[in-house]
Amino acid sequence: MTEAIGYELDGDIAILKAQNPPVNALGHAVRVGLVEGLERAERDGAKAVLIYGEGATYFAGADIREFGKPPLEPMLPGVCDRIEACPLLVVSAMHGTALGGGLEVALSTHYRIAVPATRVGLPEVLLGILPGAGGTQRLPRVAGVEAALDMITTGRHVRADEALELGILDKVEEGTPREIGLAYTRELLASGAPRRPVGEMAAPEPVDFDAVYETVLKKGRGQISPATAVRAVQAACELPFREGLARERELFMELMDTDQREGLIHAFFSERAVSKLPELKGVEPRDLNAIGVIGGGTMGAGIATAALLAGLTVTMLEMSPEAAEAAKGRISGNLQGALKRGKISAAQFETLTEQALTLATDYDALSDADLVIEAVFEEMDVKKKVFSQLDAVCKPGAVLATNTSYLDVNEIAAITSRPEDVIGLHFFSPAHVMKLLEVVVADKTAPDVVATGFALGKRLRKISVRAGVCDGFIGNRILSTYRTCADHMILDGASPYQIDKALEAFGFAMGPFAVADLAGLDIGWAVRKRKRAEGLDPRARDSSYADKLCEDGHFGQKTGKGYYDYAAGPKSRVPNPDVMPLIEAERAAQGITPRDFSDEEIVRRYMASMVNEAAKVVGEGIARRPLDVDMTLLFGYGFPRYRGGPLKWADLEGLPGLLADIRSWAEEDAYFWEPAPLLEKLVAEDRNFDDLNKEAAS
Ligand code: CAA
């Protein structure tokens, strides 16, 4: 027996206990242990086998780390078949999360009991694959096609009470999995319950699979695994069980070979690695209970909402009692949304708005705060005034955070007598919804202040990324470059509408011009004005057509018009007819003869500019690892998860080809397309971005 599965005989019952922390993933040793355990139980003359997991959970799935490596026998489908075919009565007792291969093992056992807090699911499509160990054939036989399609195409976790209703579980009972499992197995033996292999059950009733396939495909925005899984469930209805399993295997192997699978698994591990920083090992965060928020606009109210929902007390500081009341109104509105979605109860709503939130107009109210975040107007002088006042009133050791999206955090820190306590915490609007938090570390920021930034991110359930100080940090700096690339393509002949369409087909939730309309065109306008005032490099191409839109009062969705016209509502955008004439006039003024762009060239240029800037960001140490850039774009900028992030995309696309394109475009515009030294280095050394991620982890 391997150590991953413990074996014990309790009367007639052989007990197989999974002991493969942290999540009892079904790695090779576990699979070997399960097969050996069954053989031993049969040799020992047991009448039944009980399978359960020690520690946090029943099996949480296949071992994702083995994907892409040469397969080792016995493979999971064979193990599941072996369990199902066992001549003894086989029972699963579940707790924690029985996911993916874990639920497939359970569906191969003859009876299933679970503790009430258990969640089950087949989340494989979220990793770019489909359940490959019989899940698409067994689940519909047990729960029906409709429920199986829902669970398999969304990957959602199902609570034990619902799983019981669906027939996935036979019983739900309080206790430890071992206790409830043993009692249930004894009960089954005493009542003479027969073996009940799901594979021998009748094929389920079919539905209109073509229609479901089309709907799921459309919803996936280019992601193929959910739609492919529909075809596997279809096989459960149309083919005998064994042939259905073979079809599932075939489709599983097809998906296993895709870049989407690589991208999604990269995202899975990177979102866990992103907050694990070697520099924070052993560093304790400071206490974090009471926070202050300065400025109750959309951003400040969003931050306050997120903090309240995470159980922190919040003091909201505004300039006047009226402004403070308005801020409270915004926070209440956000919390109403949480109440409507069932995230909080009416009583909690009351506590959060009336007790956990305090309004103030005097800085003295912040003297007890553990951490203060300012979300005031984005202007250096305004920020400096705020920080001088914070320096005067905050208690020693309080963390002083700025939510600036572009400004120099070192300069802000320098105005205080305690720069080691100053940090950037860059939230994304709406802050109680968006998952990304950039933790901006300035030159003098103390390690335990960085740790506190990450602790706050974790408490607010954000994906926190460490960023260094530069104009725009990681995300907005890269955004500014790929937006510029899009603007250049417009000058040269593409339209905003073709660019949006091409990038939405690539998988972005929204194209860059639709995003600009949503964020407000005045934001980009202010940045352009600031950069021009600072002095543009004479080699940089510039354009003013977007300024003209703003000068005419068109700021995007909030004014009803921007690149698009929203007369029929925010969801039904149509091109604003004023835009193309402005662009054409600009081209004429600059003496440009427009040319055609293919959608493919648009995507290639846009992505190459993003990758090139990202490589500069990593090369300069603004992001510590390529995966930090990938997670920033995924969680803050609508980058398609199934592509893993821009640098994972670049690895999959091939760095030498990208660099060659960048060099050829540099012949037209050497300033914009200057290759990143890191990209050149990686190509010269025949390495890629993932090699850097691996080096950082070792
Ligand atoms: N394989 C390998 N490692 C895994 C894993 C898996 N299936 N699931 C989790 N881990 C690792 C995590 O990477 C993490 O490792 P580090 O501590 O080194 O970062 C550790 O286990 C703990 O995971 P979390 O931090 O995510 O812990 P959590 O308590 O927040 O969540 C969980 C636990 C709900 C199980 C979550 O980890 C999860 O959703 N895991 C993935 C489950 C899944 O997708 N299973 C299906 C696998 S595919 C499959 O089974 C294919 C098939 O059909 C054959």
Side-chain angles (χ1 to χ4, degrees):
M1 293 286 300
T2 70
E3 293 200 343
I5 296 287
Y7 181 91
E8 187 190 334
L9 209 51
D10 183 308
D12 287 341
I13 304 173
I15 303 171
L16 306 190
K17 174 177 67 168
Q19 37 199 23
N20 184 31
V23 296
N24 283 321
L26 288 148
H28 182 240
V30 176
R31 302 196 300 273
V32 170
L34 282 171
V35 172
E36 288 181 358
L38 292 174
E39 284 166 358
R40 188 161 162 194
E42 290 162 20
R43 275 200 314 273
D44 284 350
K47 292 209 173 107
V49 178
L50 169 67
I51 302 177
Y52 79 98
E54 190 178 60
T57 181
Y58 187 78
F59 310 104
D63 189 336
I64 305 171
R65 286 168 218 271
E66 289 183 357
F67 290 5
K69 296 188 183 150
L72 288 172
E73 293 286 349
M75 305 214 314
L76 197 56
V79 175
C80 288
D81 291 349
R82 176 69 179 84
I83 293 171
E84 188 169 71
C86 180
L88 314 178
L89 193 76
V90 191
V91 180
S92 281
M94 292 136 84
H95 75 301
T97 42
L99 301 176
L103 181 56
E104 292 178 299
V105 167
L107 287 168
S108 313
T109 63
H110 305 140
Y111 293 89
R112 291 164 290 279
I113 184 167
V115 303
T118 311
R119 284 174 300 148
V120 305
L122 292 174
E124 284 86 343
V125 297
L126 307 177
L127 299 171
I129 51 173
L130 54 77
T136 64
Q137 308 302 298
R138 290 191 178 95
L139 184 62
R141 282 177 160 78
V142 167
V145 169
E146 226 167 279
L149 281 172
D150 164 49
M151 281 177 65
I152 292 171
T153 61
T154 63
R156 77 182 174 92
H157 294 184
V158 170
R159 284 167 26 165
D161 50 354
E162 188 187 347
L164 182 67
E165 233 166 76
L166 289 172
I168 298 168
L169 296 175
D170 300 298
K171 216 171 174 179
V172 175
E173 219 154 84
E174 290 283 1
T176 67
R178 184 188 169 92
E179 281 162 13
I180 63 166
L182 272 173
Y184 185 45
T185 311
R186 285 192 196 111
E187 189 185 310
L188 288 166
L189 284 176
S191 66
R195 287 171 64 257
R196 199 187 48 175
V198 174
E200 290 173 15
M201 292 178 182
E205 286 299 315
V207 296
D208 181 350
F209 283 106
D210 288 345
V212 178
Y213 180 86
E214 289 305 328
T215 311
V216 173
L217 190 65
K218 200 160 162 229
K219 210 169 139 212
R221 281 213 205 102
Q223 189 182 336
I224 53 170
S225 51
T228 309
V230 173
R231 295 303 187 203
V233 175
Q234 183 171 3
C237 299
E238 295 175 355
L239 299 175
F241 183 65
R242 287 277 131 214
E243 288 174 38
L245 283 180
R247 179 74 182 131
E248 175 194 87
R249 196 75 204 149
E250 197 174 63
L251 293 169
F252 175 86
M253 292 313 288
E254 265 175 31
L255 290 176
M256 203 55 156
D257 254 354
T258 58
D259 285 353
Q260 293 198 1
R261 190 271 299 167
E262 274 207 48
L264 285 163
I265 286 179
H266 172 72
F268 177 87
F269 285 117
S270 298
E271 71 184 308
R272 285 164 175 76
V274 76
S275 58
K276 285 185 189 140
L277 295 177
E279 72 194 67
L280 294 186
K281 249 199 187 142
V283 180
E284 280 298 313
R286 297 185 184 174
D287 277 349
L288 205 52
N289 296 307
I291 73 160
V293 179
I294 307 178
T298 309
M299 181 56 97
I303 296 171
T305 308
L308 288 168
L309 287 170
L312 295 159
T313 60
V314 175
T315 301
M316 165 59 72
L317 187 78
E318 257 295 356
M319 311 248 269
S320 65
E322 297 74 41
E325 277 305 323
K328 184 175 178 181
R330 281 183 207 106
I331 297 168
S332 296
N334 294 341
L335 291 173
Q336 285 283 0
L339 177 64
K340 243 187 242 154
R341 286 191 302 278
K343 294 212 161 143
I344 50 170
S345 65
Q348 280 169 313
F349 175 83
E350 199 65 21
T351 313
L352 294 185
T353 46
E354 298 310 324
Q355 286 162 35
L357 174 68
T358 310
L359 300 179
T361 51
D362 191 329
Y363 272 81
D364 283 340
L366 300 175
S367 59
D368 276 338
D370 299 311
L371 180 148
V372 181
I373 308 173
E374 66 74 20
V376 301
F377 196 62
E378 187 76 346
E379 219 170 72
M380 187 53 96
D381 287 344
V382 181
K383 304 272 188 200
K384 281 184 175 168
K385 265 190 209 127
V386 168
F387 273 77
S388 306
Q389 276 166 294
L390 287 178
D391 194 20
V393 301
C394 287
K395 67 182 180 187
V399 174
L400 311 182
T402 167
N403 177 55
T404 180
S405 29
Y406 284 95
L407 299 176
D408 184 345
V409 184
N410 284 318
E411 200 178 327
I412 296 173
I415 202 81
T416 71
S417 63
R418 36 175 142 174
E420 65 283 0
D421 294 339
V422 177
I423 194 164
L425 292 176
H426 181 210
F427 287 84
F428 290 71
S429 196
H432 57 298
V433 176
M434 292 291 286
K435 292 284 279 179
L436 183 65
L437 174 66
E438 276 182 306
V439 178
V440 185
V441 180
D443 291 349
K444 294 194 176 152
T445 311
D448 63 344
V449 170
V450 182
T452 311
F454 275 89
L456 177 70
K458 191 167 176 197
R459 188 105 181 244
L460 305 187
R461 303 172 80 176
K462 305 280 180 213
I463 299 289
S464 309
V465 179
R466 183 202 192 282
V469 176
C470 68
D471 195 340
F473 315 125
I474 298 177
N476 281 347
R477 170 165 163 187
I478 297 171
L479 163 76
S480 155
T481 299
Y482 62 77
R483 261 308 307 253
T484 303
C485 176
D487 290 337
H488 290 176
M489 288 193 277
I490 285 187
L491 282 179
D492 292 335
S495 78
Y497 315 109
Q498 188 194 0
I499 292 177
D500 275 359
K501 195 169 111 306
L503 289 158
E504 283 163 19
F506 176 83
F508 277 96
M510 286 167 112
F513 298 97
V515 169
D517 272 358
L518 178 68
L521 300 186
D522 47 329
I523 295 181
W525 192 27
V527 173
R528 285 194 299 279
K529 281 196 272 195
R530 174 170 64 80
K531 287 195 173 168
R532 284 183 197 130
E534 284 165 11
L536 281 188
D537 190 289
R539 294 166 298 173
R541 297 176 73 185
D542 196 13
S543 58
S544 60
Y545 72 91
D547 303 342
K548 296 204 174 82
L549 268 180
C550 294
E551 284 157 16
D552 290 344
H554 301 315
F555 291 164
Q557 285 197 19
K558 59 185 167 193
T559 59
K561 256 190 202 177
Y563 290 101
Y564 295 89
D565 189 324
Y566 299 91
K571 290 226 162 88
S572 52
R573 61 184 205 206
V574 290
N576 173 359
D578 299 341
V579 171
M580 286 316 293
L582 288 176
I583 291 173
E584 279 151 17
E586 175 99 42
R587 286 174 189 155
Q590 295 200 23
I592 297 167
T593 312
R595 68 171 177 92
D596 284 342
F597 279 79
S598 67
D599 289 357
E600 201 189 350
E601 183 181 358
I602 287 174
V603 170
R604 185 86 178 158
R605 280 182 179 253
Y606 191 81
M607 286 305 302
S609 71
M610 192 183 303
V611 169
N612 199 40
E613 190 64 30
K616 290 177 187 170
V617 161
V618 176
E620 291 167 22
I622 298 297
R624 286 277 158 95
R625 302 158 295 187
L627 69 87
D628 293 317
V629 171
D630 284 344
M631 295 307 100
T632 302
L633 271 290
L634 234 58
F635 289 99
Y637 296 82
F639 193 92
R641 185 179 172 94
Y642 64 81
R643 295 193 188 271
L647 295 179
K648 183 68 192 175
W649 175 87
D651 279 355
L652 291 167
E653 198 72 5
L655 302 190
L658 273 173
L659 180 60
D661 280 354
I662 289 170
R663 283 184 173 144
S664 77
W665 297 327
E667 286 168 20
E668 322 156 355
D669 182 348
Y671 176 68
F672 183 76
W673 288 108
E674 187 184 359
L678 178 63
L679 184 58
E680 291 183 311
K681 183 166 182 280
L682 288 174
V683 170
E685 292 171 356
D686 194 20
R687 295 194 308 152
N688 67 18
F689 290 110
D690 218 30
D691 291 328
L692 300 181
N693 288 328
K694 288 189 190 120
E695 272 168 30
S698 61

